[in-house]
């Protein structure tokens, strides 16, 4: 048998190359339709070194901070919303929010959200035995999270060493078969993240390990960090709006700053490194990412998702100013709205977790410098966490909505919730602040009990430092607020409950099911019924 081999003529080769060129141009054009042009590593270094970059680079940066990345490929492949249902609510839309701490524990996050393989395989066979109540509770919470058709995420990385250069939003969306929108909050240009930091003051014996730990793959580094919306509904009218009021300067302020630790402790050998670890030099600032979902089951046919992450390194009054700006932006919206995010509703300026986690957040390394960190962890670090944990603020930690009583019982965060409660959209609609025994977990009748789970003492907290002293170091920072289609009074129990929040939950067992937990924040969910539920005096779920 003879095999005939066709030889390419010159014309064939030209045709082949032309086709490749057309395909490449189409791919680039299509990619640019879905998001801004990525910054090169060299440009990122310039953004650190030059306070005022050249006009071309400044324009590219501005585009990055105002243009979302959007993909509706799941809908294009025919994916439909799950629209789960229950006897109490009928069919409903479940919304989830989670600050995933950069995506440091990506595999655990992905499985918890529903990506195969099963989350159960991650559980300990000794601590969470197959038939244990704890294991069942964890898997129940996993099931609740898996049924969320809309997932809002804070602290999402793209192209960072600490998260193995993953495009966390895109990778999660692909695994979960969901659409996604990603908005860049910060472009990370800290010299540690870029791998160009010099550690002249570090002991010579430590330097080789340190330099190895910050080695960066320049071809994969993107330096993007932000907020994402994942959805089984097609995402429409997606927009990224930077906030005008930025109370913390993440570029010049961080370049000039020393770590937030006592100057008297700067003689510690660890201090050289701590100053650089706590510093985060970034371009960008706090913003909101908005997207609409359209479906005939949704009252008025459309819902707007508003995702934000308010400033942590500032005072509560400045977060209140940021909230006012967010509300002004969304005021004209006439359809239902879900506003969700890490609002940092703490009475303090900032809430760091621990030395170990701060190392991991910057370098992605669990092992480096841990031995050197022992002095910190057993001495000064404990003192620092107590101070920042806010011993004098224990009353407000789990319930930042409590009334502000000057001198007697001050609550610096009360104004934030007062602002939300009095706010009215242009159509007269309001955020739902109701707490009703038959519509909340645990039968709470306290404010916001329907939308955010309450416990025996205030809300179930969503954030904890690693070293806690009783209740000190636990906070309710993460929130879902809902504007239903027909609610004009925030606490109007007689008003309709159509597409209003029900059975808000904090999935704490899930988050703490693995060693060192999945994130420093626990996920939260809430259900919005497509019809008017007839609960009567039914017990809460």
């Amino acid at each position: 048998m003879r095999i005939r081999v066709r030889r390419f003529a010159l014309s064939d080769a030209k045709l082949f190359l032309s086709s490749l060129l057309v395909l490449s141009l189409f791919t680039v054009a299509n990619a640019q339709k879905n998001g801004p042009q990525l910054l090169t590593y060299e440009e990122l270094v310039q953004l650190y070194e030059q306070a005022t970059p050249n006009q071309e680079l400044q324009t590219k940066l501005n585009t990055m901070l105002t243009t979302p990345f959007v993909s509706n490929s799941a809908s294009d492949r025919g994916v439909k919303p799950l629209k789960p249902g229950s006897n109490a609510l009928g069919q409903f839309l479940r919304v989830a929010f989670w600050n995933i701490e950069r995506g440091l524990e990506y595999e655990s996050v992905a499985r918890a959200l529903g990506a195969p393989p099963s989350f159960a395989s991650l559980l300990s066979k000794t601590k969470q035995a197959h038939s244990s109540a704890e294991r069942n509770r964890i898997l129940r919470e996993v099931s609740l999270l898996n049924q969320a058709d809309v997932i809002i995420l804070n602290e999402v990385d793209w192209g960072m060493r600490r998260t193995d250069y993953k495009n966390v939003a895109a990778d999660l969306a692909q695994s979960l078969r969901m659409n996604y929108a990603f908005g860049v909050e910060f472009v990370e240009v800290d010299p540690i993240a870029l791998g160009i930091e010099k550690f002249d003051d570090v002991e010579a014996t430590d330097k080789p390990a340190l330099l190895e730990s910050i080695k960066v793959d320049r071809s994969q580094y993107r330096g993007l960090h932000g907020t994402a919306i994942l959805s089984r509904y097609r995402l429409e009218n997606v927009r990224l709006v930077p906030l005008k009021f930025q109370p913390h300067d993440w570029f010049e302020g961080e370049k000039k700053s020393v770590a937030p630790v006592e100057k008297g402790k700067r003689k510690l050998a660890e201090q050289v490194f701590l100053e650089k670890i706590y510093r985060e030099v970034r371009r960008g600032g706090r913003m909101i990412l908005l997207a609409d979902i359209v479906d005939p089951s949704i009252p008025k046919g459309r819902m707007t998702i508003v995702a934000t992450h308010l400033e942590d390194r500032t005072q509560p009054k400045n977060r209140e100013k940021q909230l006012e700006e967010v509300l002004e932006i969304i005021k004209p919206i006439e359809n239902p709205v879900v506003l969700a995010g890490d609002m940092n509703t703490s009475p303090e300026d900032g809430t760091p977790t621990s030395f170990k986690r701060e190392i991991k957040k910057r370098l992605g390394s669990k092992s480096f410098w841990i031995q050197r960190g022992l002095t910190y962890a057993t001495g000064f670090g404990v003192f620092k966490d107590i101070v920042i944990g806010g011993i004098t603020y224990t009353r407000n930690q789990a319930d930042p909505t409590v009334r502000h009583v000057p001198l007697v019982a001050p609550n610096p965060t009360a104004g934030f919730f007062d602002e939300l409660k009095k706010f009215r959209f242009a159509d007269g609609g309001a955020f739902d602040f109701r707490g009703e025994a038959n519509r909340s977990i645990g039968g709470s009748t306290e404010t916001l009990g329907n939308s955010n789970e309450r416990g025996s003492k205030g809300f179930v907290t969503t954030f904890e430092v690693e070293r806690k002293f009783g209740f000190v170091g636990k906070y309710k920072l993460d929130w879902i607020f809902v504007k239903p289609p027909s609610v004009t009074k925030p606490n109007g129990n007689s008003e309709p409950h159509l597409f209003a929040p029900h059975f808000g939950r904090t999935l704490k067992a899930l988050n703490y099911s693995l060693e060192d937990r999945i994130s420093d924040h626990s996920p939260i969910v809430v259900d919005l019924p497509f019809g008017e539920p007839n609960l009567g005096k039914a017990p809460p779920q």
Side-chain angles (χ1 to χ4, degrees):
M1 181 177 68
R2 296 178 64 186
I3 299 175
R4 295 185 179 181
V5 180
R6 181 176 182 268
R7 298 183 182 276
F8 276 104
L10 182 60
S11 58
D12 292 324
K14 288 181 177 178
L15 180 61
F16 178 70
L17 291 173
S18 298
S19 300
L20 277 181
L21 179 61
V22 170
L23 180 61
S24 298
L25 290 173
F26 173 80
T27 302
V28 171
N30 191 54
Q32 289 186 358
K33 251 195 225 177
N34 296 329
Q37 184 180 1
L38 295 174
L39 296 158
T40 67
Y41 180 82
E42 291 72 21
E43 288 172 329
L44 291 165
V45 173
Q46 289 180 49
L47 288 173
Y48 169 69
E49 293 177 342
Q50 301 172 8
T52 306
N54 63 62
Q55 186 59 50
E56 181 181 357
L57 181 52
Q58 184 65 56
T59 299
K60 196 172 179 181
L61 174 63
N62 291 344
T63 303
M64 178 69 69
L65 296 171
T66 56
T67 308
F69 294 85
V70 183
S71 171
N72 280 305
S73 60
S75 290
D76 294 339
R77 295 195 305 270
V79 173
K80 302 295 182 184
L82 299 176
K83 294 184 179 179
S86 69
N87 292 334
L89 298 182
Q91 276 197 319
F92 55 83
L93 168 60
R94 177 164 291 157
V95 177
F97 168 76
W98 199 357
N99 179 327
I100 59 171
E101 196 181 11
R102 279 76 168 164
L104 294 173
E105 303 295 339
Y106 175 85
E107 185 65 28
S108 302
V109 170
R111 292 196 195 189
L113 291 172
S118 169
F119 185 85
S121 62
L122 298 176
L123 299 179
S124 168
K125 293 181 181 179
T126 55
K127 291 184 178 180
Q128 294 128 356
H130 183 71
S131 60
S132 72
E134 180 187 4
R135 182 186 180 90
N136 291 337
R137 181 183 176 190
I138 292 166
L139 295 181
R140 167 62 176 158
E141 290 189 358
V142 171
S143 177
L144 292 170
L145 195 56
N146 291 175
Q147 291 181 318
D149 278 324
V150 172
I151 303 169
I152 300 158
L153 303 174
N154 278 163
E155 293 198 13
V156 181
D157 272 0
W158 180 357
M160 298 293 297
R161 182 194 184 281
R162 63 196 177 200
T163 42
D164 298 323
Y165 304 104
K166 288 182 177 66
N167 183 344
V168 172
D171 291 353
L172 283 174
Q174 183 177 10
S175 297
L176 298 169
R177 301 182 73 238
M178 300 179 82
N179 306 309
Y180 79 91
F182 174 68
V184 176
E185 183 178 37
F186 295 112
V187 177
E188 303 281 357
V189 295
D190 191 279
I192 285 183
L194 289 168
I196 60 174
E197 182 64 273
K198 294 182 179 180
F199 288 88
D200 296 332
D201 297 327
V202 176
E203 294 178 13
T205 54
D206 297 317
K207 192 167 293 187
L210 175 56
L211 294 177
E212 180 64 28
S213 75
I214 63 172
K215 188 181 293 184
V216 169
D217 184 341
R218 299 183 177 191
S219 66
Q220 296 193 71
Y221 190 87
R222 298 288 178 263
L224 304 182
H225 182 75
T227 289
I229 298 170
L230 278 57
S231 171
R232 292 189 180 88
Y233 296 87
R234 179 176 288 275
L235 295 171
E236 301 184 359
N237 193 25
V238 183
R239 54 262 195 223
L240 170 58
V241 183
L243 297 181
K244 295 177 182 177
F245 180 59
Q246 300 288 343
H248 181 70
D249 185 343
W250 284 95
F251 183 67
E252 291 292 354
E254 290 291 301
K255 288 182 81 170
K256 295 175 182 176
S257 70
V258 175
V261 290
E262 276 191 328
K263 291 184 179 179
K265 300 290 182 179
R266 291 184 61 184
K267 292 182 181 180
L268 287 173
E270 293 81 5
Q271 191 58 44
V272 173
F273 190 67
L274 281 173
E275 289 177 359
K276 298 171 190 278
I277 281 296
Y278 278 105
R279 174 206 66 206
E280 289 184 86
V281 183
R282 301 159 146 183
R283 295 279 191 166
R286 305 302 179 177
M287 51 73 163
I288 58 173
L289 178 66
L290 305 97
D292 292 348
I293 58 174
V294 178
D295 189 275
S297 299
I298 299 173
K300 300 190 177 182
R302 177 181 298 265
M303 182 182 83
T304 301
I305 306 158
V306 183
T308 193
H309 186 183
L310 300 184
E311 188 57 67
D312 62 333
R313 296 193 184 180
T314 192
Q315 299 175 7
K317 64 181 180 182
N318 287 331
R319 283 189 282 273
E320 192 176 329
K321 289 181 182 178
Q322 287 192 313
L323 173 66
E324 291 171 0
E325 188 175 342
V326 170
L327 297 178
E328 189 60 31
I329 292 169
I330 66 176
K331 187 179 180 68
I333 300 174
E334 297 184 354
N335 49 260
V337 172
V338 167
L339 168 61
D342 177 357
M343 307 293 183
N344 277 306
T345 45
S346 155
E348 289 83 45
D349 283 7
T351 50
T353 51
S354 71
F355 180 83
K356 179 180 175 182
R357 291 193 82 91
E358 292 301 325
I359 291 273
K360 192 175 175 184
K361 287 179 184 180
R362 307 296 185 272
L363 305 181
S365 170
K366 294 183 180 180
S367 58
F368 178 73
W369 216 266
I370 295 303
Q371 288 299 317
R372 187 168 285 281
L374 287 177
T375 303
Y376 170 82
T378 57
F380 173 65
V382 174
F383 170 76
K384 177 172 180 287
D385 278 350
I386 294 174
V387 172
I388 295 181
I391 290 176
T392 59
Y393 292 99
T394 54
R395 172 178 174 265
N396 309 325
Q397 287 181 173
D399 190 356
T401 70
V402 295
R403 183 185 172 195
H404 171 66
V405 183
L407 300 178
V408 178
N411 177 17
T413 61
F416 183 96
F417 296 93
D418 291 343
E419 186 68 29
L420 266 173
K421 192 172 182 179
K422 72 180 182 182
F423 174 73
R424 296 295 181 273
F425 289 83
D427 63 355
F431 284 111
D432 194 325
F433 268 60
R434 290 177 286 188
E436 298 161 283
N438 61 337
R439 301 177 194 271
S440 65
I441 298 298
S444 172
T445 58
E446 299 295 324
T447 186
L448 289 168
N450 292 1
S451 51
N452 294 269
E453 185 178 357
R454 280 183 169 270
S456 58
K457 296 180 180 179
F459 293 91
V460 175
T461 54
T462 59
F463 173 91
E464 296 182 10
V465 299
E466 285 193 293
R467 283 183 303 280
K468 296 173 289 294
F469 292 82
F471 202 68
V472 175
K474 302 179 182 181
Y475 299 89
K476 168 65 172 172
L477 302 183
D478 308 278
W479 301 87
I480 297 177
F481 303 112
V482 181
K483 175 208 176 193
S486 304
V487 170
T488 58
K489 298 177 182 178
N491 292 111
N493 289 353
S494 62
E495 296 204 347
H497 289 84
L498 170 70
F499 216 60
H502 286 72
F503 306 120
R505 299 170 172 88
T506 298
L507 309 182
K508 212 162 185 175
L510 162 61
N511 193 46
Y512 283 82
S513 61
L514 306 182
E515 185 180 0
D516 199 28
R517 62 191 167 176
I518 301 174
S519 170
D520 54 3
H521 292 251
S522 296
I524 57 177
V525 298
V526 72
D527 298 338
L528 311 178
F530 292 120
E532 180 71 40
N534 184 20
L535 295 180
K537 295 185 180 297
Q541 295 185 340

